[in-house]
């Protein structure tokens, strides 16, 4: 430890000097190198960190005084946001100081949660896991830091020899992952945010980025002030703030995004305006079942999607479909397609992801400055932790999968496990995991950094009462999930611990702990270390490695083992660095190379693959698969999809037919229900609803109605109505012509409000490939109350 | 009104205002107070009132009024330049019209339903007044300039908070005399 601390102190001293020098520069005191500096005028110390909240991954400066966070500002050195934030980011500091922060562990005794010591809690958890280790699950999060997710993986897949781990990211980006893997052979977007600075047009596929990725939205839309001729096309089922700034609004019937994408491809081929050279060299056609087909067969598949038929199915006028086809036909038009939950939370989520790639592949609009399909992520580390570390039921770190023998051997080697410990059979995905818990097939579960009792689709009384199983919840505030827990562990939040996140553009961020967590709250990583070590002490074989040592052994820079499971040791040692250096070895296989930890300390994040150049510098990759940007593309290749499973550097255009949604409005349930987020609140609102400014801006959930539907029903803004589905119902106040306006025949409800659980109503049907449920469409009826 | 009369009117108004404050405080105060103290006090009051609109110094202020605007263009209808509304209220000019997603940072602030007991947050306080080298030298800029690059949007002669107005709006190159604190500017 001593050594790391020294480095850090030296660095701080150095940066203070830089700050003084900064007086000479216009940019102010924060040098490009420094990650911390003191503000002479206020006595504040400012430190860099990524924002706590969304997948945009803005850089913030956290102002700390007397051991407390007192201010947050946008970091001008951060290439993502260049000094700007959104309301959530500015108020991230206040999210630490809700009066009801969890401050001590609690154990349920006689039906009530009662204060307990860490020792009691850890002992109880260790005993329960040992008692039924193969049926103990971990439910994690896209807000897990990279070291947190990595620890959970090693604990469960290495320690328990089980695969019962899945993250809440299953509910938000699983379709994006499977879409990417089926098209490109490897996960994560190849483009980057810089493309928003150079594109001519942005096409939003059901994506209200004005509220969900506000900083990216303004990064694009502010270009209008610079006189750039840019356009935005908003395809949606609801008019939003994005629509207000759009040049064209294309309203479609839910689920028919699939039809629109196929119609664009149909037109590109009919007009003969597709990029022939690119298609010849870089594309392969596959049928829905993945058997190779030729261009002719693909054409035949598209025959159903002529503009007239597509218009009929989707409700989009032919003229608007033509407009899209015109744009994608123009070889000089630089287009970025954006999407997030609208396409991912979809019963054909994987297929619609494939279809949008088809559009970009046929038109050659990929891998060029300003042209790329771009799947945005919701959570700050959905990419860094869930997708890269691979905290999924079927995965192992670095893009590996459990049912591949060689991949298992890799993990067993790096983790120094006894051969054969890793189980080849994938575990339950999220929806199945909760069903298994209800059925008693999973007997215990540890939930970290997420709130499933508010977010699992089709919540039932069963889930809410937790009638089965032993539930451990690590969190920072009381939530719907802590209410039903058997053990509640108080966690450190954001800058109360060291951390690393990875954002939507492959950028890995690092931050240091800046303030102490309140009361006895402790890091999630430490919690797992402590339980693992207790199991080891109790003689649980899984927690030993091949040499008989503790599985989660951490070594200092001299190679000496550190007793990281002891809090007094853990809190002064940079366990993150040790874990990250170990994890880094996993990242080479899929060419997602990460740099050493210290490179992330120095910078405002780096986009992988980060490869060392001949001059010794660690170079990031702005655009993947692009010669000149990506060191893995051979000279002369231009664009190469080098992770192609067919080893031809090609991407797959997959013929995915339109399939209707599993539940459509009918006589009894005549309205579509869509759910989603709002700008001011983060997911289930546990953090943001404890911040005055954010709470006041949007205190309670509501149901948005189309004005015509409201008139027909005879209801007004503020009046309460009941929303009823085949699964459940809730009562909400009506909002008409408020922030957003759904299309006729549809209603929208935000899910942030724990007092109004909309997931009692939603459907739990999911994409058969990604297992991601569809929160965006189900049929409901509205009743006056 | 030509430029000269405008300046004169502003100067006269300012004079009247300080006189009123002076008399008001002399009458109310037990001990004699200086004009400077009174002005400082008023300034602090105004500053405190403004501070209630933010979570901490440098946080974007919330929107204190009902919102009818659907997008930035509509916000800027009133906030591009200072606008006097029919009911007498004054809409301040934004210092950063180059950003076009206003409600990305400025969220509605009218509903005051948050229970203050629920939070232990203590945000960074507003800065003190700017330093002067000696009594007559121009004060330094006490606050950051980030997102406040246009001085006159707050210090212009139209600001309803009179204590924020410059006494010399005819001088338009503010930073020529009032130097910013670069060390505070990250
Ligand atoms: S856009 Fe996302 S990352 Fe950026 S400040 Fe807002 S919530 Fe944070």
């Amino acid at each position: 430890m001593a050594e790391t601390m020294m480095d850090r102190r030296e660095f701080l001293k150095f940066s203070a000097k830089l700050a003084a020098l900064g007086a000479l520069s216009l940019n102010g005191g924060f040098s490009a190198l420094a990650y911390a500096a003191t503000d002479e005028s206020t006595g504040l110390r400012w430190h860099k960190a990524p924002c706590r909240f969304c997948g945009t991954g803005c850089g913030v400066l956290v102002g700390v005084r007397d051991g407390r966070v007192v201010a947050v500002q946008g970091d001008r050195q951060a290439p993502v946001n260049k000094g700007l934030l959104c309301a959530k980011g500015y108020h991230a500091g206040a999210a630490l100081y809700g009066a009801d922060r969890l401050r001590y562990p609690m154990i349920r005794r006689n039906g009530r949660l009662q204060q307990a010591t860490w020792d009691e809690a850890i002992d109880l958890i260790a005993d329960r896991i040992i008692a039924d280790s193969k049926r103990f699950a971990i439910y994690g999060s896209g807000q897990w830091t990279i070291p947190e997710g990595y620890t959970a993986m090693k604990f469960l897949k290495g320690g328990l020899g089980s695969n019962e781990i899945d993250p809440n990211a299953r509910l938000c980006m699983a379709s994006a992952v499977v879409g990417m893997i089926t098209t490109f052979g490897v996960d994560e977007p190849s483009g980057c945010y810089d493309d928003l600075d150079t594109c001519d047009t942005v096409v939003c596929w059901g994506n209200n980025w004005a509220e969900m990725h506000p900083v990216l939205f303004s990064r694009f839309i502010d270009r209008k002030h610079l006189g750039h001729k840019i356009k935005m096309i908003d395809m949606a089922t609801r008019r939003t703030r994005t629509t207000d700034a759009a040049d064209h609004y294309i309203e479609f019937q839910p689920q028919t995004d699939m039809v629109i994408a196929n119609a664009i491809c149909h037109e590109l081929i009919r007009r003969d305006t597709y990029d022939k050279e690119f298609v010849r060299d870089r594309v392969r056609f596959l049928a829905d079942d993945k058997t190779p087909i030729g261009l002719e067969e693909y054409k035949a598949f598209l025959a159903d999607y002529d503009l007239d038929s597509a218009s009929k199915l989707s409700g989009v006028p032919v003229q608007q479909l033509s407009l899209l086809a015109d744009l994608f036909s123009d070889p000089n038009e630089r287009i970025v397609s954006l999407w997030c939950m609208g396409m991912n939370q979809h019963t054909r989520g994987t297929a619609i992801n494939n279809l949008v790639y088809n559009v970009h592949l046929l038109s050659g609009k990929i891998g060029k400055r300003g042209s790329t399909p771009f799947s945005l992520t919701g959570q700050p580390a959905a990419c860094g932790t869930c997708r890269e570390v691979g905290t999924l039921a079927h995965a192992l770190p670095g893009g590996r999968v459990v049912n591949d023998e060689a991949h298992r051997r890799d993990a067993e080697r790096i983790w120094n496990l006894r051969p054969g410990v890793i189980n080849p059979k994938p575990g339950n995905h999220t929806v199945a995991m909760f069903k298994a818990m209800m059925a008693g097939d999973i007997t215990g579960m540890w939930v970290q950094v997420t709130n499933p009792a508010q977010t699992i689709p089709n919540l039932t009384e069963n889930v809410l009462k937790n009638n089965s199983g032993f539930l451990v919840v690590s969190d920072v505030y009381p939530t719907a999930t802590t209410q039903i827990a058997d053990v509640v562990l108080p966690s450190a939040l954001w800058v109360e611990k060291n951390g690393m996140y990875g954002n939507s553009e492959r950028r890995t961020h690092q931050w240091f702990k800046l303030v102490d967590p309140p009361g006895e709250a402790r890091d999630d990583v430490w919690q797992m270390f402590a339980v693992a070590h207790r199991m080891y002490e109790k003689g649980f074989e899984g927690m030993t490695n091949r040499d008989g040592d503790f599985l989660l052994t951490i070594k200092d820079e001299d190679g000496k083992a550190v007793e990281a499971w002891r809090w007094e040791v853990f809190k002064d040692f940079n366990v993150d660095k040790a874990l990250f250096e170990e994890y880094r070895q996993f990242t080479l296989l899929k060419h997602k190379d990460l740099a050493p930890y210290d490179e992330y300390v120095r910078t405002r994040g780096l986009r992988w693959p980060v490869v060392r150049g001949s001059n010794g510098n660690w170079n990031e990759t702005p655009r993947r698969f692009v010669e000149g940007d990506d060191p893995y593309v051979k000279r002369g290749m231009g664009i190469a999809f080098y992770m192609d499973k067919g080893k031809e550097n090609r991407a797959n255009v997959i013929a995915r037919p339109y399939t209707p949604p599993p539940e459509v409005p009918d006589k009894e349930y005549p309205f579509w229900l869509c759910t989603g987020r709002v700008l001011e609140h983060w997911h289930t609102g546990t953090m943001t609803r404890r911040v005055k400014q954010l709470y006041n801006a949007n205190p309670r959930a509501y149901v948005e109605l189309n004005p015509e539907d409201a008139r027909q029903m005879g209801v007004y803004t503020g009046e309460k109505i009941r929303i009823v589905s085949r699964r459940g119902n809730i009562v909400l106040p009506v909002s008409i012509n408020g922030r957003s306006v759904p299309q006729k025949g549809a209603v929208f409800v935000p899910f942030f409000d724990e007092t109004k659980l909309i997931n009692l109503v939603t459907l739990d049907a999911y994409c058969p490939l990604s297992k991601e449920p569809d929160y965006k469409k189900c049929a409901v009826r509205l009743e006056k109350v | 009104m030509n430029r000269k009369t405008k300046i004169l009117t502003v100067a006269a108004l300012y004079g009247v205002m300080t006189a009123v404050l002076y008399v008001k405080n002399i009458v109310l105060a037990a001990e004699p107070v200086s004009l400077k103290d009174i002005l400082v006090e008023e300034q602090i009051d105004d500053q405190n009132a403004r501070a209630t609109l933010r979570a901490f110094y440098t946080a974007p202020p919330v929107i204190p009024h009902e919102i009818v605007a659907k997008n930035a263009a509509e916000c800027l209808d009133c906030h591009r330049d200072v606008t006097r509304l029919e009911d007498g209220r004054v809409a301040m000019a934004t210092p950063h019209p180059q950003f076009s997603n206003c409600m990305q940072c400025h969220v509605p602030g009218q509903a005051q339903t948050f229970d203050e007991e629920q939070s232990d947050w203590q945000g960074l306080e507003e800065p003190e007044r700017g330093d002067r080298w000696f009594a007559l030298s121009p004060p330094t800029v006490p606050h950051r300039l980030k997102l406040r690059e246009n001085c006159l949007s707050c210090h212009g002669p139209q600001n309803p908070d009179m204590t924020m107005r410059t006494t010399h709006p005819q001088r338009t190159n503010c930073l020529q005399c009032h130097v910013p604190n670069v060390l505070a500017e990250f």
Side-chain angles (χ1 to χ4, degrees), chain A residues 51-58 85-90 212-215:
Chain A
C51 172
R52 168 64 182 78
F53 299 113
C54 86
T56 301
C58 295
L85 296 175
C86 81
K88 282 190 298 299
Y90 283 113
M212 306 325 151
H213 297 84
V215 165

Side-chain angles (χ1 to χ4, degrees), chain A residues 19 25 27-30 39-41 44 46 61 65 68-74 76 83-87 90-91 93-94 97-99 103 210 214-215 217-218 221-222 225 241 244 679-680 689-690 692-693 695-697 738-739, chain B residues 52-60 62 70-71 76 80 97-101 103-125 127 142 144-147 149 181-186:
Chain A
S25 78
N27 223 351
F30 229 82
D39 176 343
E40 308 281 338
S41 64
L44 280 193
W46 293 95
L61 294 176
R65 193 182 53 201
R68 284 176 68 100
V69 175
V70 292
V72 171
Q73 58 170 318
R76 272 202 264 228
L84 214 59
L85 296 175
C86 81
Y90 283 113
H91 295 95
Y97 296 101
R103 285 162 214 271
V215 165
F217 172 80
S218 60
I221 213 79
D222 288 345
H225 286 281
R241 285 189 185 165
D244 289 327
L679 185 142
E680 294 87 352
R689 287 182 84 239
R690 286 171 169 86
K692 176 179 161 187
Q693 286 72 16
Y695 179 94
N696 282 343
R739 185 173 297 201
Chain B
T52 59
L53 296 181
R54 12 174 157 253
F56 54 94
Y57 161 56
T58 73
V62 298
K70 275 303 241 183
N71 52 36
L76 289 178
R80 183 176 293 284
Q98 72 274 26
F99 294 116
S100 39
N101 189 22
M103 284 186 263
Q104 168 181 325
C105 305
H106 302 285
V107 297
Q110 266 213 316
Q112 289 295 325
T113 45
F114 185 77
D115 173 5
E116 304 275 348
E117 300 274 287
Q118 280 195 14
S119 176
D120 297 333
W121 169 248
Q122 293 154 16
L124 181 62
E125 313 78 20
R144 288 203 183 108
L145 293 181
K146 190 173 173 185
L147 296 169
E149 291 88 352
N181 180 354
V182 186
L183 286 180
E185 204 61 47
F186 296 127

Side-chain angles (χ1 to χ4, degrees), chain A residues 182-384:
Chain A
T182 43
T183 298
F184 300 107
V186 71
D187 186 26
E188 291 196 51
S190 53
C192 62
Y193 298 160
D194 309 25
D195 290 319
L196 295 170
D197 303 335
T198 46
C199 65
D200 302 306
T201 298
V202 162
V203 180
C204 306
W205 297 76
N207 182 33
N208 178 15
W209 63 324
E211 289 202 68
M212 306 325 151
H213 297 84
V215 165
L216 293 182
F217 172 80
S218 60
R219 178 167 170 172
F220 170 71
I221 213 79
D222 288 345
R223 286 175 56 203
K224 284 195 174 169
H225 286 281
L226 302 173
H228 294 189
K229 299 260 172 301
I230 50 170
K231 296 182 286 302
M232 181 164 65
I233 301 190
D234 180 32
M235 283 197 253
T237 61
R238 176 172 81 111
R239 285 179 174 272
T240 61
R241 285 189 185 165
T242 303
T243 321
D244 289 327
D247 299 270
H248 299 277
Y249 173 56
I250 298 182
E251 193 168 86
F252 62 92
Q253 281 301 308
Q255 192 99 345
T256 64
D257 39 5
M258 304 182 78
V259 177
I260 297 171
N262 274 332
I264 298 171
C265 294
H266 177 273
E267 274 303 282
L268 287 172
I269 289 182
R270 188 191 66 82
R271 297 178 188 188
D272 208 28
T273 48
Y274 66 97
D275 187 336
K276 289 177 204 72
E277 205 183 318
F278 188 77
V279 168
R280 187 194 64 213
D281 296 340
R282 291 287 170 259
V283 167
R284 166 192 309 116
F285 292 96
L286 297 181
D288 194 19
D289 62 6
K290 302 249 219 100
T291 49
I293 53 173
L295 179 61
E296 287 311 313
E297 285 159 287
Y298 179 65
K299 272 189 198 168
F301 156 78
L302 288 175
D304 294 346
Y305 301 95
D306 63 279
L307 291 189
D308 287 322
S309 320
S311 170
K312 245 181 243 141
L313 258 174
S314 63
V316 178
V318 169
Q319 198 191 353
Q320 282 192 324
L321 292 173
S322 284
L323 170 89
L324 288 168
D326 292 348
L327 282 171
F328 281 99
S329 291
D330 181 350
N332 297 319
E333 189 78 12
R334 287 165 296 185
I335 305 180
V336 174
S337 279
L338 291 179
W339 67 94
C340 198
M341 293 309 111
M343 266 170 50
N344 293 347
Q345 294 180 338
H346 197 301
T347 48
R348 297 289 291 163
T350 304
I352 180 61
N353 272 269
N354 295 140
L355 289 175
V356 175
Y357 293 130
N358 291 356
V359 172
H360 278 263
L361 287 167
L362 287 181
S363 58
K365 297 197 187 301
I366 182 167
K368 302 186 177 130
R369 269 166 71 81
S371 268
T372 190
F374 203 136
S375 156
L376 295 171
T377 314
Q379 301 189 79
C383 286

Side-chain angles (χ1 to χ4, degrees), chain A residues 52-55 88 141-143 168-169 171-172 212 340-341 345 377-380 382 449-451 454-455 676-689 750-754:
Chain A
R52 168 64 182 78
F53 299 113
C54 86
K88 282 190 298 299
S141 171
Q143 296 157 73
N168 63 359
L171 312 175
C172 86
M212 306 325 151
C340 198
M341 293 309 111
Q345 294 180 338
T377 314
Q379 301 189 79
V449 212
T450 186
N451 185 8
Q454 191 167 338
T455 50
R677 295 184 283 163
V678 294
L679 185 142
E680 294 87 352
H681 290 298
W682 175 249
H683 284 189
T684 59
T686 48
M687 290 179 279
T688 49
R689 287 182 84 239
F751 74 90
F752 68 81
D753 187 349
E754 64 182 349

Side-chain angles (χ1 to χ4, degrees), chain B residues 58-181:
Chain B
T58 73
V62 298
I63 304 168
H65 57 78
E66 200 181 317
I67 300 155
V68 280
K70 275 303 241 183
N71 52 36
E74 288 177 34
C75 296
L76 289 178
D77 280 349
C78 294
H79 291 286
R80 183 176 293 284
D81 297 310
V82 178
T83 312
R84 286 188 181 278
L85 306 178
E86 280 177 9
D87 61 6
R89 284 182 302 158
V90 177
M92 303 274 286
T94 170
H96 42 251
Q98 72 274 26
F99 294 116
S100 39
N101 189 22
C102 313
M103 284 186 263
Q104 168 181 325
C105 305
H106 302 285
V107 297
Q110 266 213 316
Q112 289 295 325
T113 45
F114 185 77
D115 173 5
E116 304 275 348
E117 300 274 287
Q118 280 195 14
S119 176
D120 297 333
W121 169 248
Q122 293 154 16
L124 181 62
E125 313 78 20
E126 303 280 320
E128 310 258 297
R129 288 154 53 86
D131 293 334
R132 288 174 200 257
W133 183 36
F134 63 94
L136 293 178
S137 66
T140 57
V141 180
H143 58 72
R144 288 203 183 108
L145 293 181
K146 190 173 173 185
L147 296 169
R148 301 173 175 189
E149 291 88 352
N150 179 3
C151 306
L152 289 183
S153 20
C154 295
H155 299 291
Q158 307 263 28
N159 190 323
D161 276 3
M162 286 200 260
T163 53
M164 265 180 106
R165 294 181 192 169
T166 169
T167 55
H168 43 275
Q170 74 278 19
R171 298 228 172 272
T172 50
N173 189 17
C174 315
L175 300 185
Q176 171 188 332
C177 304
H178 303 282
V179 292
N181 180 354

